[in-house]
Amino acid sequence: MKHSSSSSLCLLFLLALCSMACDLVQAQVLFQGFNWESWKTRGGWYNCLRVQVDDIAKAGVTHVWLPPPSHSVSPQGYMPGRLYDLDASKYGTAAELKALVEAFHERNIQCVADIVINHRCADKKDARGVYCVFEGGTPDGRLDWGPGMICSDDTQYSDGTGHRDTGEGFAAAPDVDHLNARVQRELSEWLNWLKSDVGFDGWRLDFAKGYSAAVARAYVESTSPSFVVAEIWNSLSYNGDGKPANNQDQCRQELVNWARAVGGPAMAFDFTTKGLLQAGVQGELWRLRDGAGKAAGMIGWMPEKAVTFVDNHDTGSTQKLWPFPSDKVMQGYAYILTHPGVPCIFYDHMFDWNLKQEIETLSAIRARNGIHAGSKLRILVADADAYVAVVDEKVMVKIGTRYDLGNVLVPSDFHPASHGKDYCVWEKGSLRVPAGRHL
């Protein structure tokens, strides 16, 4: 009898641990730890960010996305050359990067490296006078390549002996031939070195449209990252009047197809949701519900593989290539931090825009109620000036300018948990609002 009781207790303990592990895997929050100008920071960006680790942890962040770590022709890191040369980064030294990664790990935050492998900048010219001779950044021959490692259809740089590009071209630098066995092997070795020597846990794949999903899958399988998210940038489909089309299925299907083809932990930034959300908060919130009553972005079809965001270093920051309306940013966070998908918080919004407290409050609501990438969404209202939804029957969120929503009722066991300009969030709990109270 005693043995049976002990076995039962052990079984219950193991089940509890498994449940906790599942929750930790599901309840992910990504934080982009830089912007387009971070490389200019006095004293080094890595050192600056290290001071803010505790604040980032308090916001419920589980993963931090760090900038490209290697030598680069452009100071932001997106024109990489000597991949093993981390001391040449404008963000700081290799030692400072390792110290930053260690500081995040001490707060149980995993570190995601920005991986730029679609293209690469050469150090030297060949006999033709073309920059196509690459240096790896080590005393040996690792990543020391010639023009044969460039895609054959990148005629500006290639000698014509490589394979054709498997994705979209990149005009500003040589396109790497990822079908070359040596290229795949040496890039995989470099990625695994970033894990073992620096301490990175996962990858953000820059310009992932530049190579096929099969190529991305090969790198994921050869490096076993715990977290992968790809930049598959599509900026919606538009009507003749310049407004987004009512149906964005083609855009989100591209994201779904990529995630399915790569498999494993691979996710994609939900550009469809970003575009529809920033159009929605400008008086078109009906866009957030599709014809089937689901969320209209990738999170409506494959939320477990969607990383939602308001802005990043490209769309916002000083580039502003596709910016979210600046006076409505908190409506965006009220949406992504209460909804399915893995939300990504942008550095600028949390630290430069003085939105830290509001973002922390929303993130705490998400954590407290166990909202995760696969949470169940029930949309109650999606009109021009109002959007209301319930998530996991625990959290209710409203965004939009309209205050009176008529017959939409706040359940009697829900209480206000966060509010700001044109948004409010309620959660189920012991504090009560008057029974049958209208929004």
Side-chain angles (χ1 to χ4, degrees):
M1 187 70 178
K2 185 178 179 181
H3 177 74
S4 177
S5 298
S6 298
S7 299
S8 298
L9 285 171
C10 287
L11 180 59
L12 288 171
F13 180 69
L14 287 171
L15 288 172
L17 283 177
C18 289
S19 176
M20 287 172 61
C22 289
D23 287 342
L24 287 172
V25 169
Q26 292 176 316
Q28 297 175 328
V29 175
L30 179 64
F31 178 83
Q32 181 175 3
F34 64 100
N35 61 35
W36 193 246
E37 307 296 333
S38 296
W39 63 276
K40 297 178 180 178
T41 303
R42 285 190 175 185
W45 182 248
Y46 296 147
N47 291 334
C48 174
L49 194 61
R50 188 178 174 189
V51 176
Q52 298 171 314
V53 167
D54 286 346
D55 283 335
I56 294 168
K58 288 175 185 175
V61 171
T62 60
H63 295 73
V64 60
W65 160 21
L66 298 177
S70 303
H71 158 264
S72 170
V73 173
S74 65
Q76 294 86 3
Y78 291 96
M79 297 285 279
R82 301 187 301 273
L83 294 177
Y84 277 101
D85 187 357
L86 306 188
D87 283 322
S89 169
K90 295 295 184 181
Y91 296 102
T93 66
E96 291 165 350
L97 173 58
K98 291 178 184 179
L100 176 63
V101 169
E102 183 179 354
F104 276 117
H105 284 168
E106 287 174 355
R107 295 304 305 266
N108 296 316
I109 296 174
Q110 294 193 18
C111 295
V112 179
D114 203 327
I115 301 301
V116 187
I117 56 173
N118 167 73
H119 52 273
R120 192 176 170 203
C121 293
D123 273 70
K124 300 175 183 177
K125 296 178 181 180
D126 68 355
R128 301 171 298 164
V130 176
Y131 274 102
C132 60
V133 178
F134 304 89
E135 297 279 346
T138 66
D140 54 37
R142 285 174 293 169
L143 295 176
D144 292 352
W145 299 343
M149 277 68 170
I150 300 171
C151 295
S152 61
D153 45 346
D154 190 354
T155 55
Q156 182 180 353
Y157 303 101
S158 174
D159 63 3
T161 61
H163 300 85
R164 292 185 64 82
D165 201 339
T166 61
E168 294 184 8
F170 185 83
D175 285 305
V176 173
D177 176 11
H178 291 285
L179 297 183
N180 182 295
R182 180 184 171 189
V183 166
Q184 277 203 21
R185 183 180 70 254
E186 293 191 354
L187 283 178
S188 294
E189 290 172 351
W190 173 67
L191 290 168
N192 281 318
W193 174 80
L194 288 178
K195 286 177 63 181
S196 62
D197 193 75
V198 182
F200 278 111
D201 305 285
W203 319 129
R204 179 263 184 184
L205 301 179
D206 177 70
F207 192 60
K209 280 189 172 187
Y211 44 91
S212 68
V215 166
R217 182 184 182 114
Y219 289 120
V220 170
E221 290 180 344
S222 65
T223 61
S224 302
S226 62
F227 185 98
V228 179
V229 61
E231 178 197 36
I232 310 288
W233 188 328
N234 54 39
S235 300
L236 304 185
S237 301
Y238 291 85
N239 296 321
D241 60 3
K243 289 194 171 186
N246 291 358
N247 187 310
Q248 297 292 338
D249 288 355
Q250 183 177 353
C251 293
R252 57 176 169 171
Q253 190 66 60
E254 180 184 14
L255 303 176
V256 167
N257 290 346
W258 187 92
R260 283 177 175 163
V262 178
M267 297 181 287
F269 281 110
D270 191 349
F271 277 87
T272 313
T273 289
K274 188 255 196 299
L276 292 172
L277 185 55
Q278 67 188 33
V281 295
Q282 298 179 81
E284 299 178 341
L285 287 166
W286 54 266
R287 293 185 180 278
L288 300 181
R289 180 166 57 185
D290 68 12
K294 297 182 178 181
M298 185 186 181
I299 59 170
W301 283 358
M302 203 177 191
E304 298 88 349
K305 297 297 184 181
V307 176
T308 55
F309 67 106
V310 175
D311 262 328
N312 61 30
H313 64 293
D314 286 324
T315 65
S317 189
T318 55
Q319 294 200 90
K320 294 182 172 62
L321 299 179
W322 202 34
F324 204 93
S326 60
D327 60 335
K328 298 174 175 62
V329 160
M330 280 312 304
Q331 288 187 65
Y333 280 108
Y335 183 93
I336 70 170
L337 286 170
T338 59
H339 275 55
V342 175
C344 182
I345 301 167
F346 186 33
Y347 178 92
D348 289 19
H349 296 150
M350 187 158 155
F351 290 106
D352 295 343
W353 291 34
N354 296 318
L355 300 176
K356 180 169 162 288
Q357 186 59 55
E358 287 185 83
I359 290 172
E360 280 184 0
T361 300
L362 290 169
S363 186
I365 294 169
R366 184 180 186 87
R368 194 160 57 236
N369 290 279
I371 298 174
H372 54 80
S375 286
K376 183 180 178 182
L377 175 66
R378 185 164 60 91
I379 301 173
L380 303 180
V381 177
D383 294 336
D385 56 355
Y387 171 91
V388 183
V390 177
V391 183
D392 286 343
E393 304 304 321
K394 296 178 182 178
V395 170
M396 184 180 234
V397 59
K398 172 260 177 187
I399 61 175
T401 56
R402 198 201 315 170
Y403 179 77
D404 184 3
L405 295 176
N407 294 325
V408 179
L409 304 178
V410 177
S412 61
D413 55 349
F414 277 59
H415 65 272
S418 177
H419 63 88
K421 181 175 169 49
D422 296 329
Y423 79 87
C424 189
V425 179
W426 298 259
E427 63 182 337
K428 192 173 184 177
S430 57
L431 296 176
R432 293 178 178 271
V433 296
R437 174 181 156 184
H438 288 74
L439 282 174

